[in-house]
Amino acid sequence: VYSCRFMDDYRSSMRFALKAMADITGTILVPAFIAAIAGKFLDARYGTGRVLFVVLLTLTFLGTAFILVKKVRQYAKEYQKLITP
């Protein structure tokens, strides 16, 4: 019986960790990828060198930082609920 409870706790912890990792990774990569492609496209279209590329990536990273803080706090609360008996 003890090993079953341990495995259930382990599985729920692993599900939580994988969910959090995928969400945080997507939060970082997707906007950065879109900003990089859009910046390169706009720079090529308007002949601005790398100005728009850098501006879009900078704005994206700043926005992503604020979103990540919120998500990490949310996951910390969820984790506390998960480990509290």
Side-chain angles (χ1 to χ4, degrees):
V1 173
Y2 178 75
S3 63
C4 241
R5 171 138 168 68
F6 172 76
M7 288 305 292
D8 288 342
D9 290 344
Y10 177 76
R11 285 185 187 121
S12 61
S13 295
M14 287 303 292
R15 272 195 304 268
F16 174 80
L18 291 173
K19 175 185 151 193
M21 182 183 67
D23 186 26
I24 290 172
T25 301
T27 300
I28 295 168
L29 290 179
V30 172
F33 183 73
I34 292 170
I37 290 176
K40 284 190 73 87
F41 171 77
L42 292 172
D43 281 334
R45 182 175 178 130
Y46 296 113
T48 54
R50 294 184 184 170
V51 173
L52 295 175
F53 176 80
V54 171
V55 168
L56 284 178
L57 273 180
T58 302
L59 292 174
T60 300
F61 287 140
L62 291 173
T64 299
F66 287 113
I67 292 169
L68 281 176
V69 168
K70 287 183 176 184
K71 285 190 178 197
V72 168
R73 286 182 181 162
Q74 174 190 350
Y75 281 123
K77 287 178 186 177
E78 288 181 34
Y79 181 70
Q80 286 299 322
K81 289 179 186 176
L82 183 68
I83 63 170
T84 304

mmCIF file with all atom_site columns, all heavy atoms in Angstrom, residues 27-36 53-67:
data_model
loop_
_atom_site.group_PDB
_atom_site.id
_atom_site.type_symbol
_atom_site.label_atom_id
_atom_site.label_alt_id
_atom_site.label_comp_id
_atom_site.label_asym_id
_atom_site.label_entity_id
_atom_site.label_seq_id
_atom_site.pdbx_PDB_ins_code
_atom_site.Cartn_x
_atom_site.Cartn_y
_atom_site.Cartn_z
_atom_site.occupancy
_atom_site.B_iso_or_equiv
_atom_site.pdbx_formal_charge
_atom_site.auth_seq_id
_atom_site.auth_comp_id
_atom_site.auth_asym_id
_atom_site.auth_atom_id
_atom_site.pdbx_PDB_model_num
ATOM 1   N N   . THR A 1 27 ? 6.463  29.756 -23.051 1.00 0.00 ? 27 THR A N   1
ATOM 2   C CA  . THR A 1 27 ? 6.318  31.185 -22.765 1.00 0.00 ? 27 THR A CA  1
ATOM 3   C C   . THR A 1 27 ? 7.559  31.959 -23.194 1.00 0.00 ? 27 THR A C   1
ATOM 4   O O   . THR A 1 27 ? 7.468  33.111 -23.609 1.00 0.00 ? 27 THR A O   1
ATOM 5   C CB  . THR A 1 27 ? 6.048  31.397 -21.265 1.00 0.00 ? 27 THR A CB  1
ATOM 6   O OG1 . THR A 1 27 ? 4.843  30.720 -20.917 1.00 0.00 ? 27 THR A OG1 1
ATOM 7   C CG2 . THR A 1 27 ? 5.916  32.863 -20.920 1.00 0.00 ? 27 THR A CG2 1
ATOM 8   N N   . ILE A 1 28 ? 8.712  31.331 -23.115 1.00 0.00 ? 28 ILE A N   1
ATOM 9   C CA  . ILE A 1 28 ? 9.954  31.994 -23.506 1.00 0.00 ? 28 ILE A CA  1
ATOM 10  C C   . ILE A 1 28 ? 10.185 31.892 -25.011 1.00 0.00 ? 28 ILE A C   1
ATOM 11  O O   . ILE A 1 28 ? 10.474 32.888 -25.679 1.00 0.00 ? 28 ILE A O   1
ATOM 12  C CB  . ILE A 1 28 ? 11.154 31.401 -22.741 1.00 0.00 ? 28 ILE A CB  1
ATOM 13  C CG1 . ILE A 1 28 ? 11.030 31.695 -21.253 1.00 0.00 ? 28 ILE A CG1 1
ATOM 14  C CG2 . ILE A 1 28 ? 12.472 31.948 -23.285 1.00 0.00 ? 28 ILE A CG2 1
ATOM 15  C CD1 . ILE A 1 28 ? 11.999 30.926 -20.387 1.00 0.00 ? 28 ILE A CD1 1
ATOM 16  N N   . LEU A 1 29 ? 10.057 30.690 -25.555 1.00 0.00 ? 29 LEU A N   1
ATOM 17  C CA  . LEU A 1 29 ? 10.464 30.449 -26.945 1.00 0.00 ? 29 LEU A CA  1
ATOM 18  C C   . LEU A 1 29 ? 9.509  30.995 -27.999 1.00 0.00 ? 29 LEU A C   1
ATOM 19  O O   . LEU A 1 29 ? 9.959  31.560 -28.996 1.00 0.00 ? 29 LEU A O   1
ATOM 20  C CB  . LEU A 1 29 ? 10.664 28.950 -27.171 1.00 0.00 ? 29 LEU A CB  1
ATOM 21  C CG  . LEU A 1 29 ? 11.864 28.338 -26.473 1.00 0.00 ? 29 LEU A CG  1
ATOM 22  C CD1 . LEU A 1 29 ? 11.943 26.848 -26.759 1.00 0.00 ? 29 LEU A CD1 1
ATOM 23  C CD2 . LEU A 1 29 ? 13.139 29.013 -26.904 1.00 0.00 ? 29 LEU A CD2 1
ATOM 24  N N   . VAL A 1 30 ? 8.220  30.803 -27.819 1.00 0.00 ? 30 VAL A N   1
ATOM 25  C CA  . VAL A 1 30 ? 7.262  31.192 -28.868 1.00 0.00 ? 30 VAL A CA  1
ATOM 26  C C   . VAL A 1 30 ? 7.299  32.695 -29.147 1.00 0.00 ? 30 VAL A C   1
ATOM 27  O O   . VAL A 1 30 ? 7.453  33.108 -30.298 1.00 0.00 ? 30 VAL A O   1
ATOM 28  C CB  . VAL A 1 30 ? 5.846  30.688 -28.533 1.00 0.00 ? 30 VAL A CB  1
ATOM 29  C CG1 . VAL A 1 30 ? 4.816  31.247 -29.490 1.00 0.00 ? 30 VAL A CG1 1
ATOM 30  C CG2 . VAL A 1 30 ? 5.813  29.158 -28.549 1.00 0.00 ? 30 VAL A CG2 1
ATOM 31  N N   . PRO A 1 31 ? 7.165  33.554 -28.133 1.00 0.00 ? 31 PRO A N   1
ATOM 32  C CA  . PRO A 1 31 ? 7.226  34.993 -28.435 1.00 0.00 ? 31 PRO A CA  1
ATOM 33  C C   . PRO A 1 31 ? 8.581  35.428 -29.002 1.00 0.00 ? 31 PRO A C   1
ATOM 34  O O   . PRO A 1 31 ? 8.636  36.281 -29.893 1.00 0.00 ? 31 PRO A O   1
ATOM 35  C CB  . PRO A 1 31 ? 6.979  35.666 -27.080 1.00 0.00 ? 31 PRO A CB  1
ATOM 36  C CG  . PRO A 1 31 ? 6.315  34.644 -26.255 1.00 0.00 ? 31 PRO A CG  1
ATOM 37  C CD  . PRO A 1 31 ? 6.824  33.326 -26.729 1.00 0.00 ? 31 PRO A CD  1
ATOM 38  N N   . ALA A 1 32 ? 9.677  34.854 -28.495 1.00 0.00 ? 32 ALA A N   1
ATOM 39  C CA  . ALA A 1 32 ? 10.998 35.222 -28.997 1.00 0.00 ? 32 ALA A CA  1
ATOM 40  C C   . ALA A 1 32 ? 11.148 34.823 -30.464 1.00 0.00 ? 32 ALA A C   1
ATOM 41  O O   . ALA A 1 32 ? 11.690 35.581 -31.273 1.00 0.00 ? 32 ALA A O   1
ATOM 42  C CB  . ALA A 1 32 ? 12.090 34.572 -28.158 1.00 0.00 ? 32 ALA A CB  1
ATOM 43  N N   . PHE A 1 33 ? 10.667 33.647 -30.805 1.00 0.00 ? 33 PHE A N   1
ATOM 44  C CA  . PHE A 1 33 ? 10.732 33.171 -32.191 1.00 0.00 ? 33 PHE A CA  1
ATOM 45  C C   . PHE A 1 33 ? 9.911  34.080 -33.108 1.00 0.00 ? 33 PHE A C   1
ATOM 46  O O   . PHE A 1 33 ? 10.393 34.496 -34.177 1.00 0.00 ? 33 PHE A O   1
ATOM 47  C CB  . PHE A 1 33 ? 10.217 31.727 -32.254 1.00 0.00 ? 33 PHE A CB  1
ATOM 48  C CG  . PHE A 1 33 ? 10.296 31.112 -33.610 1.00 0.00 ? 33 PHE A CG  1
ATOM 49  C CD1 . PHE A 1 33 ? 11.516 30.738 -34.145 1.00 0.00 ? 33 PHE A CD1 1
ATOM 50  C CD2 . PHE A 1 33 ? 9.145  30.894 -34.350 1.00 0.00 ? 33 PHE A CD2 1
ATOM 51  C CE1 . PHE A 1 33 ? 11.592 30.165 -35.410 1.00 0.00 ? 33 PHE A CE1 1
ATOM 52  C CE2 . PHE A 1 33 ? 9.209  30.323 -35.610 1.00 0.00 ? 33 PHE A CE2 1
ATOM 53  C CZ  . PHE A 1 33 ? 10.440 29.955 -36.139 1.00 0.00 ? 33 PHE A CZ  1
ATOM 54  N N   . ILE A 1 34 ? 8.705  34.410 -32.702 1.00 0.00 ? 34 ILE A N   1
ATOM 55  C CA  . ILE A 1 34 ? 7.848  35.277 -33.517 1.00 0.00 ? 34 ILE A CA  1
ATOM 56  C C   . ILE A 1 34 ? 8.467  36.665 -33.659 1.00 0.00 ? 34 ILE A C   1
ATOM 57  O O   . ILE A 1 34 ? 8.476  37.245 -34.751 1.00 0.00 ? 34 ILE A O   1
ATOM 58  C CB  . ILE A 1 34 ? 6.433  35.349 -32.916 1.00 0.00 ? 34 ILE A CB  1
ATOM 59  C CG1 . ILE A 1 34 ? 5.753  33.988 -33.065 1.00 0.00 ? 34 ILE A CG1 1
ATOM 60  C CG2 . ILE A 1 34 ? 5.599  36.436 -33.578 1.00 0.00 ? 34 ILE A CG2 1
ATOM 61  C CD1 . ILE A 1 34 ? 4.447  33.854 -32.307 1.00 0.00 ? 34 ILE A CD1 1
ATOM 62  N N   . ALA A 1 35 ? 8.998  37.215 -32.564 1.00 0.00 ? 35 ALA A N   1
ATOM 63  C CA  . ALA A 1 35 ? 9.615  38.541 -32.620 1.00 0.00 ? 35 ALA A CA  1
ATOM 64  C C   . ALA A 1 35 ? 10.837 38.542 -33.521 1.00 0.00 ? 35 ALA A C   1
ATOM 65  O O   . ALA A 1 35 ? 11.063 39.501 -34.277 1.00 0.00 ? 35 ALA A O   1
ATOM 66  C CB  . ALA A 1 35 ? 9.997  39.005 -31.216 1.00 0.00 ? 35 ALA A CB  1
ATOM 67  N N   . ALA A 1 36 ? 11.630 37.483 -33.471 1.00 0.00 ? 36 ALA A N   1
ATOM 68  C CA  . ALA A 1 36 ? 12.828 37.414 -34.313 1.00 0.00 ? 36 ALA A CA  1
ATOM 69  C C   . ALA A 1 36 ? 12.450 37.365 -35.794 1.00 0.00 ? 36 ALA A C   1
ATOM 70  O O   . ALA A 1 36 ? 13.041 38.077 -36.614 1.00 0.00 ? 36 ALA A O   1
ATOM 71  C CB  . ALA A 1 36 ? 13.667 36.193 -33.938 1.00 0.00 ? 36 ALA A CB  1
ATOM 72  N N   . PHE A 1 53 ? 14.641 44.434 -35.468 1.00 0.00 ? 53 PHE A N   1
ATOM 73  C CA  . PHE A 1 53 ? 14.906 43.112 -34.898 1.00 0.00 ? 53 PHE A CA  1
ATOM 74  C C   . PHE A 1 53 ? 15.252 43.236 -33.416 1.00 0.00 ? 53 PHE A C   1
ATOM 75  O O   . PHE A 1 53 ? 14.667 42.562 -32.561 1.00 0.00 ? 53 PHE A O   1
ATOM 76  C CB  . PHE A 1 53 ? 16.047 42.444 -35.674 1.00 0.00 ? 53 PHE A CB  1
ATOM 77  C CG  . PHE A 1 53 ? 16.475 41.114 -35.137 1.00 0.00 ? 53 PHE A CG  1
ATOM 78  C CD1 . PHE A 1 53 ? 15.755 39.976 -35.423 1.00 0.00 ? 53 PHE A CD1 1
ATOM 79  C CD2 . PHE A 1 53 ? 17.616 41.006 -34.363 1.00 0.00 ? 53 PHE A CD2 1
ATOM 80  C CE1 . PHE A 1 53 ? 16.148 38.736 -34.936 1.00 0.00 ? 53 PHE A CE1 1
ATOM 81  C CE2 . PHE A 1 53 ? 18.027 39.784 -33.874 1.00 0.00 ? 53 PHE A CE2 1
ATOM 82  C CZ  . PHE A 1 53 ? 17.289 38.646 -34.155 1.00 0.00 ? 53 PHE A CZ  1
ATOM 83  N N   . VAL A 1 54 ? 16.180 44.123 -33.106 1.00 0.00 ? 54 VAL A N   1
ATOM 84  C CA  . VAL A 1 54 ? 16.620 44.312 -31.717 1.00 0.00 ? 54 VAL A CA  1
ATOM 85  C C   . VAL A 1 54 ? 15.509 44.910 -30.870 1.00 0.00 ? 54 VAL A C   1
ATOM 86  O O   . VAL A 1 54 ? 15.281 44.475 -29.724 1.00 0.00 ? 54 VAL A O   1
ATOM 87  C CB  . VAL A 1 54 ? 17.893 45.193 -31.667 1.00 0.00 ? 54 VAL A CB  1
ATOM 88  C CG1 . VAL A 1 54 ? 18.242 45.580 -30.244 1.00 0.00 ? 54 VAL A CG1 1
ATOM 89  C CG2 . VAL A 1 54 ? 19.056 44.478 -32.340 1.00 0.00 ? 54 VAL A CG2 1
ATOM 90  N N   . VAL A 1 55 ? 14.777 45.878 -31.400 1.00 0.00 ? 55 VAL A N   1
ATOM 91  C CA  . VAL A 1 55 ? 13.691 46.506 -30.647 1.00 0.00 ? 55 VAL A CA  1
ATOM 92  C C   . VAL A 1 55 ? 12.609 45.483 -30.319 1.00 0.00 ? 55 VAL A C   1
ATOM 93  O O   . VAL A 1 55 ? 12.143 45.396 -29.170 1.00 0.00 ? 55 VAL A O   1
ATOM 94  C CB  . VAL A 1 55 ? 13.100 47.710 -31.425 1.00 0.00 ? 55 VAL A CB  1
ATOM 95  C CG1 . VAL A 1 55 ? 11.796 48.181 -30.808 1.00 0.00 ? 55 VAL A CG1 1
ATOM 96  C CG2 . VAL A 1 55 ? 14.109 48.846 -31.486 1.00 0.00 ? 55 VAL A CG2 1
ATOM 97  N N   . LEU A 1 56 ? 12.183 44.710 -31.308 1.00 0.00 ? 56 LEU A N   1
ATOM 98  C CA  . LEU A 1 56 ? 11.137 43.714 -31.065 1.00 0.00 ? 56 LEU A CA  1
ATOM 99  C C   . LEU A 1 56 ? 11.594 42.640 -30.072 1.00 0.00 ? 56 LEU A C   1
ATOM 100 O O   . LEU A 1 56 ? 10.834 42.254 -29.183 1.00 0.00 ? 56 LEU A O   1
ATOM 101 C CB  . LEU A 1 56 ? 10.692 43.058 -32.372 1.00 0.00 ? 56 LEU A CB  1
ATOM 102 C CG  . LEU A 1 56 ? 9.789  43.897 -33.261 1.00 0.00 ? 56 LEU A CG  1
ATOM 103 C CD1 . LEU A 1 56 ? 9.463  43.158 -34.553 1.00 0.00 ? 56 LEU A CD1 1
ATOM 104 C CD2 . LEU A 1 56 ? 8.504  44.255 -32.536 1.00 0.00 ? 56 LEU A CD2 1
ATOM 105 N N   . LEU A 1 57 ? 12.820 42.162 -30.201 1.00 0.00 ? 57 LEU A N   1
ATOM 106 C CA  . LEU A 1 57 ? 13.305 41.162 -29.253 1.00 0.00 ? 57 LEU A CA  1
ATOM 107 C C   . LEU A 1 57 ? 13.414 41.729 -27.837 1.00 0.00 ? 57 LEU A C   1
ATOM 108 O O   . LEU A 1 57 ? 13.064 41.055 -26.869 1.00 0.00 ? 57 LEU A O   1
ATOM 109 C CB  . LEU A 1 57 ? 14.656 40.610 -29.696 1.00 0.00 ? 57 LEU A CB  1
ATOM 110 C CG  . LEU A 1 57 ? 14.612 39.441 -30.658 1.00 0.00 ? 57 LEU A CG  1
ATOM 111 C CD1 . LEU A 1 57 ? 16.022 38.993 -31.021 1.00 0.00 ? 57 LEU A CD1 1
ATOM 112 C CD2 . LEU A 1 57 ? 13.834 38.284 -30.103 1.00 0.00 ? 57 LEU A CD2 1
ATOM 113 N N   . THR A 1 58 ? 13.859 42.954 -27.729 1.00 0.00 ? 58 THR A N   1
ATOM 114 C CA  . THR A 1 58 ? 13.975 43.580 -26.409 1.00 0.00 ? 58 THR A CA  1
ATOM 115 C C   . THR A 1 58 ? 12.611 43.726 -25.753 1.00 0.00 ? 58 THR A C   1
ATOM 116 O O   . THR A 1 58 ? 12.427 43.367 -24.582 1.00 0.00 ? 58 THR A O   1
ATOM 117 C CB  . THR A 1 58 ? 14.656 44.958 -26.519 1.00 0.00 ? 58 THR A CB  1
ATOM 118 O OG1 . THR A 1 58 ? 15.942 44.790 -27.120 1.00 0.00 ? 58 THR A OG1 1
ATOM 119 C CG2 . THR A 1 58 ? 14.796 45.618 -25.159 1.00 0.00 ? 58 THR A CG2 1
ATOM 120 N N   . LEU A 1 59 ? 11.639 44.236 -26.507 1.00 0.00 ? 59 LEU A N   1
ATOM 121 C CA  . LEU A 1 59 ? 10.285 44.378 -25.966 1.00 0.00 ? 59 LEU A CA  1
ATOM 122 C C   . LEU A 1 59 ? 9.681  43.022 -25.599 1.00 0.00 ? 59 LEU A C   1
ATOM 123 O O   . LEU A 1 59 ? 9.014  42.882 -24.573 1.00 0.00 ? 59 LEU A O   1
ATOM 124 C CB  . LEU A 1 59 ? 9.392  45.105 -26.960 1.00 0.00 ? 59 LEU A CB  1
ATOM 125 C CG  . LEU A 1 59 ? 9.721  46.575 -27.204 1.00 0.00 ? 59 LEU A CG  1
ATOM 126 C CD1 . LEU A 1 59 ? 8.851  47.148 -28.317 1.00 0.00 ? 59 LEU A CD1 1
ATOM 127 C CD2 . LEU A 1 59 ? 9.551  47.378 -25.925 1.00 0.00 ? 59 LEU A CD2 1
ATOM 128 N N   . THR A 1 60 ? 9.946  42.034 -26.438 1.00 0.00 ? 60 THR A N   1
ATOM 129 C CA  . THR A 1 60 ? 9.437  40.689 -26.171 1.00 0.00 ? 60 THR A CA  1
ATOM 130 C C   . THR A 1 60 ? 10.055 40.113 -24.907 1.00 0.00 ? 60 THR A C   1
ATOM 131 O O   . THR A 1 60 ? 9.354  39.522 -24.079 1.00 0.00 ? 60 THR A O   1
ATOM 132 C CB  . THR A 1 60 ? 9.722  39.761 -27.371 1.00 0.00 ? 60 THR A CB  1
ATOM 133 O OG1 . THR A 1 60 ? 9.069  40.300 -28.523 1.00 0.00 ? 60 THR A OG1 1
ATOM 134 C CG2 . THR A 1 60 ? 9.219  38.363 -27.116 1.00 0.00 ? 60 THR A CG2 1
ATOM 135 N N   . PHE A 1 61 ? 11.354 40.272 -24.729 1.00 0.00 ? 61 PHE A N   1
ATOM 136 C CA  . PHE A 1 61 ? 12.000 39.750 -23.530 1.00 0.00 ? 61 PHE A CA  1
ATOM 137 C C   . PHE A 1 61 ? 11.512 40.459 -22.271 1.00 0.00 ? 61 PHE A C   1
ATOM 138 O O   . PHE A 1 61 ? 11.322 39.821 -21.230 1.00 0.00 ? 61 PHE A O   1
ATOM 139 C CB  . PHE A 1 61 ? 13.517 39.836 -23.643 1.00 0.00 ? 61 PHE A CB  1
ATOM 140 C CG  . PHE A 1 61 ? 14.099 38.821 -24.592 1.00 0.00 ? 61 PHE A CG  1
ATOM 141 C CD1 . PHE A 1 61 ? 15.128 39.173 -25.436 1.00 0.00 ? 61 PHE A CD1 1
ATOM 142 C CD2 . PHE A 1 61 ? 13.621 37.529 -24.648 1.00 0.00 ? 61 PHE A CD2 1
ATOM 143 C CE1 . PHE A 1 61 ? 15.674 38.244 -26.314 1.00 0.00 ? 61 PHE A CE1 1
ATOM 144 C CE2 . PHE A 1 61 ? 14.151 36.588 -25.516 1.00 0.00 ? 61 PHE A CE2 1
ATOM 145 C CZ  . PHE A 1 61 ? 15.180 36.946 -26.356 1.00 0.00 ? 61 PHE A CZ  1
ATOM 146 N N   . LEU A 1 62 ? 11.278 41.754 -22.348 1.00 0.00 ? 62 LEU A N   1
ATOM 147 C CA  . LEU A 1 62 ? 10.750 42.471 -21.187 1.00 0.00 ? 62 LEU A CA  1
ATOM 148 C C   . LEU A 1 62 ? 9.347  41.992 -20.838 1.00 0.00 ? 62 LEU A C   1
ATOM 149 O O   . LEU A 1 62 ? 9.030  41.749 -19.671 1.00 0.00 ? 62 LEU A O   1
ATOM 150 C CB  . LEU A 1 62 ? 10.755 43.978 -21.448 1.00 0.00 ? 62 LEU A CB  1
ATOM 151 C CG  . LEU A 1 62 ? 12.117 44.642 -21.515 1.00 0.00 ? 62 LEU A CG  1
ATOM 152 C CD1 . LEU A 1 62 ? 11.986 46.103 -21.943 1.00 0.00 ? 62 LEU A CD1 1
ATOM 153 C CD2 . LEU A 1 62 ? 12.824 44.540 -20.180 1.00 0.00 ? 62 LEU A CD2 1
ATOM 154 N N   . GLY A 1 63 ? 8.497  41.852 -21.851 1.00 0.00 ? 63 GLY A N   1
ATOM 155 C CA  . GLY A 1 63 ? 7.145  41.344 -21.617 1.00 0.00 ? 63 GLY A CA  1
ATOM 156 C C   . GLY A 1 63 ? 7.153  39.928 -21.092 1.00 0.00 ? 63 GLY A C   1
ATOM 157 O O   . GLY A 1 63 ? 6.393  39.578 -20.177 1.00 0.00 ? 63 GLY A O   1
ATOM 158 N N   . THR A 1 64 ? 8.028  39.115 -21.637 1.00 0.00 ? 64 THR A N   1
ATOM 159 C CA  . THR A 1 64 ? 8.126  37.726 -21.204 1.00 0.00 ? 64 THR A CA  1
ATOM 160 C C   . THR A 1 64 ? 8.588  37.647 -19.751 1.00 0.00 ? 64 THR A C   1
ATOM 161 O O   . THR A 1 64 ? 8.117  36.792 -18.991 1.00 0.00 ? 64 THR A O   1
ATOM 162 C CB  . THR A 1 64 ? 9.090  36.949 -22.118 1.00 0.00 ? 64 THR A CB  1
ATOM 163 O OG1 . THR A 1 64 ? 8.575  36.977 -23.451 1.00 0.00 ? 64 THR A OG1 1
ATOM 164 C CG2 . THR A 1 64 ? 9.227  35.511 -21.672 1.00 0.00 ? 64 THR A CG2 1
ATOM 165 N N   . ALA A 1 65 ? 9.466  38.517 -19.350 1.00 0.00 ? 65 ALA A N   1
ATOM 166 C CA  . ALA A 1 65 ? 9.949  38.509 -17.965 1.00 0.00 ? 65 ALA A CA  1
ATOM 167 C C   . ALA A 1 65 ? 8.797  38.749 -16.987 1.00 0.00 ? 65 ALA A C   1
ATOM 168 O O   . ALA A 1 65 ? 8.688  38.061 -15.962 1.00 0.00 ? 65 ALA A O   1
ATOM 169 C CB  . ALA A 1 65 ? 11.037 39.555 -17.776 1.00 0.00 ? 65 ALA A CB  1
ATOM 170 N N   . PHE A 1 66 ? 7.926  39.704 -17.299 1.00 0.00 ? 66 PHE A N   1
ATOM 171 C CA  . PHE A 1 66 ? 6.780  39.972 -16.422 1.00 0.00 ? 66 PHE A CA  1
ATOM 172 C C   . PHE A 1 66 ? 5.826  38.783 -16.379 1.00 0.00 ? 66 PHE A C   1
ATOM 173 O O   . PHE A 1 66 ? 5.327  38.405 -15.319 1.00 0.00 ? 66 PHE A O   1
ATOM 174 C CB  . PHE A 1 66 ? 6.031  41.231 -16.874 1.00 0.00 ? 66 PHE A CB  1
ATOM 175 C CG  . PHE A 1 66 ? 6.772  42.496 -16.570 1.00 0.00 ? 66 PHE A CG  1
ATOM 176 C CD1 . PHE A 1 66 ? 7.262  43.284 -17.592 1.00 0.00 ? 66 PHE A CD1 1
ATOM 177 C CD2 . PHE A 1 66 ? 6.982  42.908 -15.266 1.00 0.00 ? 66 PHE A CD2 1
ATOM 178 C CE1 . PHE A 1 66 ? 7.956  44.452 -17.324 1.00 0.00 ? 66 PHE A CE1 1
ATOM 179 C CE2 . PHE A 1 66 ? 7.666  44.070 -14.975 1.00 0.00 ? 66 PHE A CE2 1
ATOM 180 C CZ  . PHE A 1 66 ? 8.157  44.851 -16.011 1.00 0.00 ? 66 PHE A CZ  1
ATOM 181 N N   . ILE A 1 67 ? 5.582  38.185 -17.524 1.00 0.00 ? 67 ILE A N   1
ATOM 182 C CA  . ILE A 1 67 ? 4.693  37.026 -17.587 1.00 0.00 ? 67 ILE A CA  1
ATOM 183 C C   . ILE A 1 67 ? 5.296  35.850 -16.820 1.00 0.00 ? 67 ILE A C   1
ATOM 184 O O   . ILE A 1 67 ? 4.590  35.130 -16.105 1.00 0.00 ? 67 ILE A O   1
ATOM 185 C CB  . ILE A 1 67 ? 4.401  36.654 -19.053 1.00 0.00 ? 67 ILE A CB  1
ATOM 186 C CG1 . ILE A 1 67 ? 3.566  37.749 -19.706 1.00 0.00 ? 67 ILE A CG1 1
ATOM 187 C CG2 . ILE A 1 67 ? 3.690  35.301 -19.151 1.00 0.00 ? 67 ILE A CG2 1
ATOM 188 C CD1 . ILE A 1 67 ? 3.446  37.629 -21.215 1.00 0.00 ? 67 ILE A CD1 1
#
